[in-house]
Short mmCIF file of all heavy atoms in Angstrom, two decimals:
data_model
loop_
_atom_site.label_atom_id
_atom_site.label_comp_id
_atom_site.label_asym_id
_atom_site.label_seq_id
_atom_site.Cartn_x
_atom_site.Cartn_y
_atom_site.Cartn_z
N MET A 1 146.38 -62.58 -15.38
CA MET A 1 146.94 -61.71 -14.37
C MET A 1 148.29 -62.28 -13.93
O MET A 1 148.39 -63.45 -13.58
CB MET A 1 145.97 -61.60 -13.19
CG MET A 1 146.54 -60.82 -12.02
SD MET A 1 145.43 -60.74 -10.62
CE MET A 1 144.22 -59.62 -11.24
N PRO A 2 149.33 -61.47 -13.92
CA PRO A 2 150.65 -61.95 -13.50
C PRO A 2 150.66 -62.36 -12.03
O PRO A 2 149.93 -61.80 -11.21
CB PRO A 2 151.57 -60.75 -13.72
CG PRO A 2 150.80 -59.80 -14.56
CD PRO A 2 149.36 -60.11 -14.38
N SER A 3 151.49 -63.32 -11.73
CA SER A 3 151.62 -63.80 -10.35
C SER A 3 152.28 -62.74 -9.48
O SER A 3 153.17 -62.01 -9.92
CB SER A 3 152.48 -65.07 -10.33
OG SER A 3 152.74 -65.45 -9.01
N GLN A 4 151.82 -62.66 -8.25
CA GLN A 4 152.40 -61.73 -7.27
C GLN A 4 153.47 -62.41 -6.41
O GLN A 4 153.98 -61.81 -5.48
CB GLN A 4 151.29 -61.15 -6.38
CG GLN A 4 150.28 -60.33 -7.15
CD GLN A 4 150.90 -59.12 -7.84
OE1 GLN A 4 151.72 -58.42 -7.27
NE2 GLN A 4 150.52 -58.90 -9.08
N LYS A 5 153.79 -63.67 -6.73
CA LYS A 5 154.79 -64.40 -5.98
C LYS A 5 156.17 -63.80 -6.22
O LYS A 5 156.47 -63.35 -7.34
CB LYS A 5 154.81 -65.88 -6.38
CG LYS A 5 153.54 -66.61 -6.01
CD LYS A 5 153.64 -68.05 -6.45
CE LYS A 5 152.37 -68.79 -6.12
NZ LYS A 5 152.43 -70.18 -6.56
N PRO A 6 157.03 -63.80 -5.21
CA PRO A 6 158.40 -63.33 -5.42
C PRO A 6 159.12 -64.19 -6.45
O PRO A 6 158.80 -65.36 -6.62
CB PRO A 6 159.05 -63.48 -4.05
CG PRO A 6 157.95 -63.66 -3.09
CD PRO A 6 156.79 -64.23 -3.84
N ARG A 7 160.09 -63.60 -7.10
CA ARG A 7 160.86 -64.31 -8.13
C ARG A 7 162.32 -64.38 -7.72
O ARG A 7 162.80 -63.54 -6.98
CB ARG A 7 160.76 -63.58 -9.47
CG ARG A 7 159.38 -63.56 -10.02
CD ARG A 7 159.37 -62.75 -11.29
NE ARG A 7 158.01 -62.71 -11.80
CZ ARG A 7 157.70 -62.81 -13.07
NH1 ARG A 7 158.66 -62.92 -13.98
NH2 ARG A 7 156.46 -62.77 -13.48
N ILE A 8 162.99 -65.38 -8.26
CA ILE A 8 164.44 -65.49 -8.09
C ILE A 8 165.08 -65.71 -9.45
O ILE A 8 164.41 -66.14 -10.39
CB ILE A 8 164.84 -66.63 -7.12
CG1 ILE A 8 164.43 -67.99 -7.69
CG2 ILE A 8 164.25 -66.43 -5.74
CD1 ILE A 8 165.05 -69.15 -6.97
N THR A 9 166.35 -65.40 -9.52
CA THR A 9 167.11 -65.66 -10.74
C THR A 9 168.06 -66.79 -10.43
O THR A 9 168.76 -66.78 -9.42
CB THR A 9 167.90 -64.41 -11.17
OG1 THR A 9 166.96 -63.37 -11.42
CG2 THR A 9 168.72 -64.69 -12.41
N LEU A 10 168.10 -67.77 -11.30
CA LEU A 10 168.96 -68.94 -11.13
C LEU A 10 169.90 -69.00 -12.32
O LEU A 10 169.47 -69.03 -13.47
CB LEU A 10 168.10 -70.20 -11.07
CG LEU A 10 168.80 -71.53 -10.92
CD1 LEU A 10 169.57 -71.59 -9.61
CD2 LEU A 10 167.79 -72.65 -10.99
N ARG A 11 171.17 -68.99 -12.05
CA ARG A 11 172.17 -69.06 -13.12
C ARG A 11 172.82 -70.44 -13.08
O ARG A 11 173.35 -70.87 -12.06
CB ARG A 11 173.22 -67.98 -12.94
CG ARG A 11 172.63 -66.60 -13.01
CD ARG A 11 173.70 -65.53 -12.87
NE ARG A 11 173.14 -64.23 -12.66
CZ ARG A 11 172.69 -63.44 -13.62
NH1 ARG A 11 172.73 -63.84 -14.87
NH2 ARG A 11 172.17 -62.25 -13.35
N LEU A 12 172.76 -71.12 -14.23
CA LEU A 12 173.31 -72.47 -14.33
C LEU A 12 174.21 -72.57 -15.55
O LEU A 12 174.10 -71.79 -16.49
CB LEU A 12 172.17 -73.49 -14.49
CG LEU A 12 171.17 -73.60 -13.35
CD1 LEU A 12 170.01 -74.48 -13.76
CD2 LEU A 12 171.84 -74.15 -12.11
N ASP A 13 175.08 -73.57 -15.53
CA ASP A 13 175.91 -73.87 -16.69
C ASP A 13 175.02 -74.37 -17.83
O ASP A 13 173.94 -74.95 -17.59
CB ASP A 13 176.95 -74.94 -16.37
CG ASP A 13 177.96 -74.48 -15.34
OD1 ASP A 13 178.25 -73.28 -15.30
OD2 ASP A 13 178.46 -75.35 -14.61
N GLN A 14 175.47 -74.19 -19.06
CA GLN A 14 174.68 -74.60 -20.21
C GLN A 14 174.39 -76.10 -20.19
O GLN A 14 173.30 -76.53 -20.56
CB GLN A 14 175.38 -74.21 -21.52
CG GLN A 14 174.53 -74.45 -22.75
CD GLN A 14 173.25 -73.65 -22.75
OE1 GLN A 14 173.26 -72.45 -22.51
NE2 GLN A 14 172.12 -74.30 -23.00
N ASP A 15 175.35 -76.91 -19.74
CA ASP A 15 175.12 -78.36 -19.65
C ASP A 15 173.94 -78.67 -18.73
O ASP A 15 173.13 -79.56 -19.03
CB ASP A 15 176.37 -79.09 -19.14
CG ASP A 15 177.49 -79.13 -20.15
OD1 ASP A 15 177.23 -78.88 -21.35
OD2 ASP A 15 178.63 -79.43 -19.75
N ASP A 16 173.84 -77.95 -17.61
CA ASP A 16 172.74 -78.16 -16.67
C ASP A 16 171.41 -77.72 -17.29
O ASP A 16 170.39 -78.39 -17.12
CB ASP A 16 172.99 -77.43 -15.36
CG ASP A 16 174.18 -77.98 -14.61
OD1 ASP A 16 174.50 -79.17 -14.78
OD2 ASP A 16 174.80 -77.22 -13.84
N ILE A 17 171.42 -76.61 -18.00
CA ILE A 17 170.21 -76.13 -18.68
C ILE A 17 169.76 -77.16 -19.72
O ILE A 17 168.57 -77.48 -19.82
CB ILE A 17 170.46 -74.77 -19.36
CG1 ILE A 17 170.76 -73.69 -18.32
CG2 ILE A 17 169.29 -74.37 -20.25
CD1 ILE A 17 169.60 -73.32 -17.45
N ASP A 18 170.71 -77.68 -20.48
CA ASP A 18 170.38 -78.69 -21.49
C ASP A 18 169.76 -79.92 -20.85
O ASP A 18 168.78 -80.49 -21.36
CB ASP A 18 171.62 -79.08 -22.29
CG ASP A 18 172.18 -77.94 -23.13
OD1 ASP A 18 171.44 -76.95 -23.39
OD2 ASP A 18 173.36 -78.02 -23.53
N TYR A 19 170.33 -80.35 -19.73
CA TYR A 19 169.80 -81.52 -19.03
C TYR A 19 168.38 -81.24 -18.52
O TYR A 19 167.48 -82.07 -18.67
CB TYR A 19 170.71 -81.90 -17.86
CG TYR A 19 170.32 -83.21 -17.23
CD1 TYR A 19 170.82 -84.41 -17.72
CD2 TYR A 19 169.45 -83.26 -16.15
CE1 TYR A 19 170.44 -85.62 -17.16
CE2 TYR A 19 169.06 -84.45 -15.58
CZ TYR A 19 169.56 -85.63 -16.08
OH TYR A 19 169.19 -86.82 -15.52
N LEU A 20 168.18 -80.05 -17.94
CA LEU A 20 166.85 -79.69 -17.46
C LEU A 20 165.83 -79.65 -18.59
O LEU A 20 164.67 -80.04 -18.41
CB LEU A 20 166.89 -78.33 -16.75
CG LEU A 20 167.45 -78.30 -15.34
CD1 LEU A 20 167.55 -76.86 -14.86
CD2 LEU A 20 166.59 -79.12 -14.39
N GLU A 21 166.26 -79.19 -19.75
CA GLU A 21 165.35 -79.12 -20.89
C GLU A 21 164.87 -80.51 -21.29
O GLU A 21 163.67 -80.72 -21.50
CB GLU A 21 166.06 -78.44 -22.07
CG GLU A 21 165.15 -78.18 -23.23
CD GLU A 21 165.83 -77.37 -24.33
OE1 GLU A 21 167.06 -77.19 -24.29
OE2 GLU A 21 165.10 -76.92 -25.22
N VAL A 22 165.78 -81.46 -21.36
CA VAL A 22 165.42 -82.84 -21.70
C VAL A 22 164.52 -83.43 -20.61
O VAL A 22 163.48 -84.04 -20.90
CB VAL A 22 166.68 -83.70 -21.91
CG1 VAL A 22 166.33 -85.17 -22.05
CG2 VAL A 22 167.48 -83.21 -23.10
N TRP A 23 164.90 -83.24 -19.36
CA TRP A 23 164.14 -83.77 -18.23
C TRP A 23 162.73 -83.18 -18.23
O TRP A 23 161.74 -83.90 -18.05
CB TRP A 23 164.88 -83.45 -16.94
CG TRP A 23 164.30 -84.01 -15.68
CD1 TRP A 23 163.25 -84.88 -15.55
CD2 TRP A 23 164.74 -83.73 -14.36
NE1 TRP A 23 163.02 -85.15 -14.22
CE2 TRP A 23 163.92 -84.46 -13.47
CE3 TRP A 23 165.75 -82.94 -13.83
CZ2 TRP A 23 164.08 -84.40 -12.09
CZ3 TRP A 23 165.91 -82.90 -12.46
CH2 TRP A 23 165.10 -83.62 -11.59
N ALA A 24 162.61 -81.88 -18.42
CA ALA A 24 161.31 -81.22 -18.43
C ALA A 24 160.42 -81.78 -19.54
O ALA A 24 159.23 -82.03 -19.33
CB ALA A 24 161.49 -79.71 -18.58
N LYS A 25 160.99 -81.99 -20.71
CA LYS A 25 160.22 -82.55 -21.82
C LYS A 25 159.71 -83.95 -21.48
O LYS A 25 158.57 -84.30 -21.81
CB LYS A 25 161.05 -82.59 -23.10
CG LYS A 25 161.20 -81.23 -23.75
CD LYS A 25 162.02 -81.31 -25.02
CE LYS A 25 162.22 -79.92 -25.61
NZ LYS A 25 163.04 -79.94 -26.82
N GLU A 26 160.54 -84.75 -20.81
CA GLU A 26 160.14 -86.09 -20.40
C GLU A 26 158.95 -86.05 -19.44
O GLU A 26 158.12 -86.96 -19.42
CB GLU A 26 161.29 -86.83 -19.74
CG GLU A 26 162.40 -87.22 -20.67
CD GLU A 26 163.61 -87.79 -19.95
OE1 GLU A 26 163.64 -87.82 -18.70
OE2 GLU A 26 164.55 -88.21 -20.65
N GLU A 27 158.89 -85.01 -18.62
CA GLU A 27 157.84 -84.86 -17.61
C GLU A 27 156.67 -84.02 -18.12
O GLU A 27 155.74 -83.74 -17.36
CB GLU A 27 158.42 -84.20 -16.35
CG GLU A 27 159.56 -84.97 -15.70
CD GLU A 27 159.13 -86.30 -15.10
OE1 GLU A 27 157.96 -86.43 -14.69
OE2 GLU A 27 159.97 -87.21 -15.05
N PHE A 28 156.73 -83.57 -19.38
CA PHE A 28 155.72 -82.71 -19.97
C PHE A 28 155.55 -81.41 -19.18
O PHE A 28 154.43 -80.95 -18.91
CB PHE A 28 154.37 -83.44 -20.11
CG PHE A 28 154.46 -84.68 -20.94
CD1 PHE A 28 154.52 -85.93 -20.34
CD2 PHE A 28 154.53 -84.61 -22.32
CE1 PHE A 28 154.61 -87.08 -21.10
CE2 PHE A 28 154.63 -85.76 -23.10
CZ PHE A 28 154.67 -87.00 -22.49
N LEU A 29 156.67 -80.85 -18.77
CA LEU A 29 156.71 -79.60 -18.02
C LEU A 29 157.63 -78.61 -18.72
O LEU A 29 158.44 -78.99 -19.55
CB LEU A 29 157.25 -79.84 -16.59
CG LEU A 29 156.46 -80.76 -15.68
CD1 LEU A 29 157.26 -81.07 -14.43
CD2 LEU A 29 155.12 -80.13 -15.33
N THR A 30 157.51 -77.35 -18.34
CA THR A 30 158.49 -76.37 -18.77
C THR A 30 159.66 -76.41 -17.79
O THR A 30 159.53 -76.98 -16.69
CB THR A 30 157.89 -74.95 -18.77
OG1 THR A 30 157.53 -74.60 -17.43
CG2 THR A 30 156.68 -74.86 -19.69
N ILE A 31 160.76 -75.82 -18.15
CA ILE A 31 161.90 -75.77 -17.24
C ILE A 31 161.54 -75.06 -15.94
O ILE A 31 161.86 -75.57 -14.85
CB ILE A 31 163.14 -75.16 -17.91
CG1 ILE A 31 163.66 -76.10 -19.00
CG2 ILE A 31 164.24 -74.88 -16.89
CD1 ILE A 31 164.82 -75.54 -19.81
N PRO A 32 160.85 -73.91 -15.97
CA PRO A 32 160.47 -73.27 -14.70
C PRO A 32 159.55 -74.15 -13.84
O PRO A 32 159.71 -74.20 -12.61
CB PRO A 32 159.74 -71.99 -15.14
CG PRO A 32 160.31 -71.69 -16.48
CD PRO A 32 160.55 -73.03 -17.12
N GLN A 33 158.62 -74.86 -14.47
CA GLN A 33 157.75 -75.76 -13.70
C GLN A 33 158.56 -76.88 -13.06
O GLN A 33 158.35 -77.22 -11.89
CB GLN A 33 156.68 -76.36 -14.61
CG GLN A 33 155.64 -75.38 -15.07
CD GLN A 33 154.75 -75.95 -16.16
OE1 GLN A 33 155.18 -76.77 -16.98
NE2 GLN A 33 153.51 -75.49 -16.21
N LEU A 34 159.48 -77.46 -13.83
CA LEU A 34 160.31 -78.54 -13.30
C LEU A 34 161.18 -78.05 -12.15
O LEU A 34 161.28 -78.72 -11.11
CB LEU A 34 161.18 -79.15 -14.40
CG LEU A 34 162.14 -80.25 -13.94
CD1 LEU A 34 161.39 -81.45 -13.39
CD2 LEU A 34 163.05 -80.66 -15.08
N THR A 35 161.81 -76.90 -12.32
CA THR A 35 162.68 -76.40 -11.25
C THR A 35 161.87 -76.10 -10.00
O THR A 35 162.35 -76.34 -8.88
CB THR A 35 163.48 -75.16 -11.69
OG1 THR A 35 162.60 -74.16 -12.18
CG2 THR A 35 164.49 -75.51 -12.75
N ARG A 36 160.65 -75.63 -10.16
CA ARG A 36 159.78 -75.39 -9.00
C ARG A 36 159.51 -76.69 -8.26
O ARG A 36 159.59 -76.76 -7.03
CB ARG A 36 158.47 -74.73 -9.45
CG ARG A 36 157.63 -74.23 -8.31
CD ARG A 36 156.35 -73.52 -8.75
NE ARG A 36 156.56 -72.60 -9.86
CZ ARG A 36 156.04 -72.77 -11.08
NH1 ARG A 36 155.27 -73.80 -11.35
NH2 ARG A 36 156.27 -71.89 -12.03
N VAL A 37 159.20 -77.76 -9.01
CA VAL A 37 158.94 -79.07 -8.41
C VAL A 37 160.19 -79.57 -7.67
O VAL A 37 160.11 -80.05 -6.54
CB VAL A 37 158.48 -80.08 -9.48
CG1 VAL A 37 158.48 -81.50 -8.94
CG2 VAL A 37 157.11 -79.70 -10.02
N VAL A 38 161.34 -79.48 -8.32
CA VAL A 38 162.59 -79.98 -7.73
C VAL A 38 162.91 -79.21 -6.45
O VAL A 38 163.27 -79.80 -5.42
CB VAL A 38 163.75 -79.89 -8.76
CG1 VAL A 38 165.08 -80.15 -8.10
CG2 VAL A 38 163.50 -80.85 -9.90
N VAL A 39 162.78 -77.90 -6.48
CA VAL A 39 163.08 -77.08 -5.30
C VAL A 39 162.10 -77.39 -4.18
O VAL A 39 162.49 -77.54 -3.01
CB VAL A 39 163.09 -75.58 -5.65
CG1 VAL A 39 163.11 -74.72 -4.40
CG2 VAL A 39 164.27 -75.25 -6.55
N LYS A 40 160.80 -77.51 -4.49
CA LYS A 40 159.81 -77.80 -3.45
C LYS A 40 160.08 -79.16 -2.80
O LYS A 40 159.97 -79.31 -1.59
CB LYS A 40 158.40 -77.76 -4.03
CG LYS A 40 157.91 -76.35 -4.27
CD LYS A 40 156.52 -76.34 -4.84
CE LYS A 40 155.44 -75.74 -4.05
NZ LYS A 40 155.51 -75.09 -2.86
N LYS A 41 160.47 -80.16 -3.61
CA LYS A 41 160.80 -81.48 -3.05
C LYS A 41 162.04 -81.39 -2.16
O LYS A 41 162.10 -82.02 -1.10
CB LYS A 41 161.02 -82.50 -4.16
CG LYS A 41 159.75 -82.99 -4.79
CD LYS A 41 160.02 -84.07 -5.82
CE LYS A 41 158.72 -84.58 -6.42
NZ LYS A 41 158.95 -85.67 -7.37
N ALA A 42 163.04 -80.63 -2.58
CA ALA A 42 164.26 -80.47 -1.77
C ALA A 42 163.95 -79.78 -0.45
O ALA A 42 164.48 -80.16 0.60
CB ALA A 42 165.31 -79.69 -2.56
N ILE A 43 163.09 -78.77 -0.48
CA ILE A 43 162.70 -78.07 0.74
C ILE A 43 161.96 -79.02 1.68
O ILE A 43 162.24 -79.05 2.88
CB ILE A 43 161.85 -76.82 0.42
CG1 ILE A 43 162.71 -75.75 -0.23
CG2 ILE A 43 161.17 -76.28 1.67
CD1 ILE A 43 161.93 -74.59 -0.82
N ALA A 44 161.02 -79.79 1.14
CA ALA A 44 160.27 -80.74 1.97
C ALA A 44 161.20 -81.77 2.60
O ALA A 44 161.07 -82.09 3.79
CB ALA A 44 159.20 -81.43 1.12
N GLU A 45 162.14 -82.28 1.83
CA GLU A 45 163.11 -83.25 2.35
C GLU A 45 163.98 -82.63 3.44
O GLU A 45 164.23 -83.24 4.48
CB GLU A 45 163.99 -83.76 1.20
CG GLU A 45 165.03 -84.78 1.61
CD GLU A 45 164.46 -86.17 1.77
OE1 GLU A 45 163.35 -86.43 1.30
OE2 GLU A 45 165.16 -87.01 2.37
N HIS A 46 164.43 -81.42 3.23
CA HIS A 46 165.27 -80.74 4.21
C HIS A 46 164.49 -80.50 5.51
O HIS A 46 165.02 -80.73 6.60
CB HIS A 46 165.78 -79.42 3.64
CG HIS A 46 166.76 -78.73 4.51
ND1 HIS A 46 166.38 -77.80 5.45
CD2 HIS A 46 168.10 -78.85 4.61
CE1 HIS A 46 167.45 -77.36 6.08
NE2 HIS A 46 168.51 -77.99 5.59
N ARG A 47 163.25 -80.06 5.39
CA ARG A 47 162.42 -79.84 6.58
C ARG A 47 162.22 -81.13 7.35
O ARG A 47 162.27 -81.16 8.58
CB ARG A 47 161.07 -79.26 6.18
CG ARG A 47 161.11 -77.80 5.85
CD ARG A 47 159.73 -77.27 5.54
NE ARG A 47 159.80 -75.83 5.33
CZ ARG A 47 158.95 -75.15 4.60
NH1 ARG A 47 157.96 -75.77 3.99
NH2 ARG A 47 159.08 -73.85 4.46
N LYS A 48 161.95 -82.22 6.61
CA LYS A 48 161.73 -83.52 7.25
C LYS A 48 162.98 -83.96 8.01
O LYS A 48 162.89 -84.38 9.16
CB LYS A 48 161.36 -84.56 6.19
CG LYS A 48 160.96 -85.90 6.74
CD LYS A 48 160.43 -86.78 5.63
CE LYS A 48 161.50 -87.77 5.23
NZ LYS A 48 161.05 -88.73 4.22
N ASN A 49 164.12 -83.84 7.36
CA ASN A 49 165.38 -84.22 8.01
C ASN A 49 165.69 -83.33 9.20
O ASN A 49 166.17 -83.81 10.22
CB ASN A 49 166.53 -84.18 7.01
CG ASN A 49 166.43 -85.27 5.97
OD1 ASN A 49 165.78 -86.29 6.18
ND2 ASN A 49 167.05 -85.06 4.83
N LYS A 50 165.40 -82.05 9.08
CA LYS A 50 165.66 -81.12 10.18
C LYS A 50 164.74 -81.43 11.35
O LYS A 50 165.17 -81.40 12.51
CB LYS A 50 165.45 -79.69 9.70
CG LYS A 50 165.85 -78.67 10.72
CD LYS A 50 165.83 -77.28 10.17
CE LYS A 50 166.39 -76.41 11.26
NZ LYS A 50 166.18 -75.07 11.23
N ASP A 51 163.47 -81.73 11.08
CA ASP A 51 162.54 -82.08 12.14
C ASP A 51 162.99 -83.33 12.87
O ASP A 51 162.91 -83.41 14.11
CB ASP A 51 161.11 -82.28 11.59
CG ASP A 51 160.47 -80.97 11.14
OD1 ASP A 51 160.99 -79.88 11.53
OD2 ASP A 51 159.46 -81.03 10.42
N LYS A 52 163.46 -84.34 12.14
CA LYS A 52 163.96 -85.56 12.76
C LYS A 52 165.15 -85.26 13.65
O LYS A 52 165.28 -85.78 14.74
CB LYS A 52 164.33 -86.60 11.71
CG LYS A 52 163.16 -87.28 11.07
CD LYS A 52 163.62 -88.32 10.07
CE LYS A 52 162.45 -88.98 9.38
NZ LYS A 52 162.89 -89.98 8.40
N LYS A 53 166.05 -84.40 13.15
CA LYS A 53 167.25 -84.05 13.90
C LYS A 53 166.86 -83.29 15.18
O LYS A 53 167.41 -83.54 16.25
CB LYS A 53 168.16 -83.19 13.04
CG LYS A 53 169.47 -82.83 13.68
CD LYS A 53 170.33 -82.01 12.73
CE LYS A 53 171.63 -81.61 13.39
NZ LYS A 53 172.46 -80.78 12.52
N ASP A 54 165.90 -82.39 15.06
CA ASP A 54 165.46 -81.60 16.23
C ASP A 54 164.79 -82.50 17.28
O ASP A 54 164.92 -82.26 18.48
CB ASP A 54 164.50 -80.49 15.81
CG ASP A 54 165.20 -79.39 15.02
OD1 ASP A 54 166.44 -79.32 15.05
OD2 ASP A 54 164.49 -78.59 14.36
N GLU A 55 164.07 -83.53 16.84
CA GLU A 55 163.40 -84.44 17.77
C GLU A 55 164.43 -85.24 18.58
O GLU A 55 164.18 -85.58 19.73
CB GLU A 55 162.50 -85.40 17.02
CG GLU A 55 161.22 -84.75 16.51
CD GLU A 55 160.36 -85.72 15.70
OE1 GLU A 55 160.74 -86.91 15.58
OE2 GLU A 55 159.34 -85.28 15.18
N LYS A 56 165.57 -85.55 17.97
CA LYS A 56 166.60 -86.34 18.64
C LYS A 56 167.30 -85.53 19.72
O LYS A 56 167.87 -86.09 20.64
CB LYS A 56 167.60 -86.87 17.65
CG LYS A 56 167.04 -87.94 16.75
CD LYS A 56 168.09 -88.46 15.78
CE LYS A 56 167.52 -89.51 14.86
NZ LYS A 56 168.51 -90.00 13.90
N GLN A 57 167.28 -84.22 19.59
CA GLN A 57 168.02 -83.38 20.55
C GLN A 57 167.24 -83.11 21.77
O GLN A 57 166.34 -83.16 22.24
CB GLN A 57 168.42 -82.06 19.90
CG GLN A 57 169.44 -82.25 18.84
CD GLN A 57 169.82 -80.94 18.16
OE1 GLN A 57 169.20 -79.90 18.34
NE2 GLN A 57 170.86 -81.00 17.34
#
């Protein structure tokens, strides 16, 4: 059954795609799986930093 999650389109330079392909293979992931992991980690880091900043104010 297809996922009901919203989708986004990400446009990257070919050099970046090539790098992601190598990185994904090293991690035994597909490029979409790897990008999902990277984005989720970036969101978590941003939330953590924002929460720290909000606590200081």
Side-chain angles (χ1 to χ4, degrees):
M1 174 182 288
S3 174
Q4 297 299 317
K5 294 180 181 179
R7 295 177 181 220
I8 64 167
T9 300
L10 179 63
R11 298 182 192 278
L12 298 171
D13 294 330
Q14 188 61 49
D15 288 344
D16 294 334
I17 296 292
D18 295 342
Y19 189 87
L20 283 174
E21 187 174 12
V22 171
W23 185 7
K25 284 181 183 178
E26 290 172 356
E27 301 293 332
F28 302 101
L29 298 170
T30 63
I31 291 175
Q33 291 169 328
L34 177 63
T35 55
R36 190 177 317 114
V37 168
V38 170
V39 168
K40 285 180 116 4
K41 284 184 179 183
I43 289 170
E45 180 80 15
H46 186 268
R47 282 184 176 154
K48 187 172 102 176
N49 291 338
K50 187 172 186 198
D51 289 344
K52 285 181 182 179
K53 184 178 178 182
D54 290 344
E55 286 177 3
K56 290 181 181 179
Q57 292 178 350

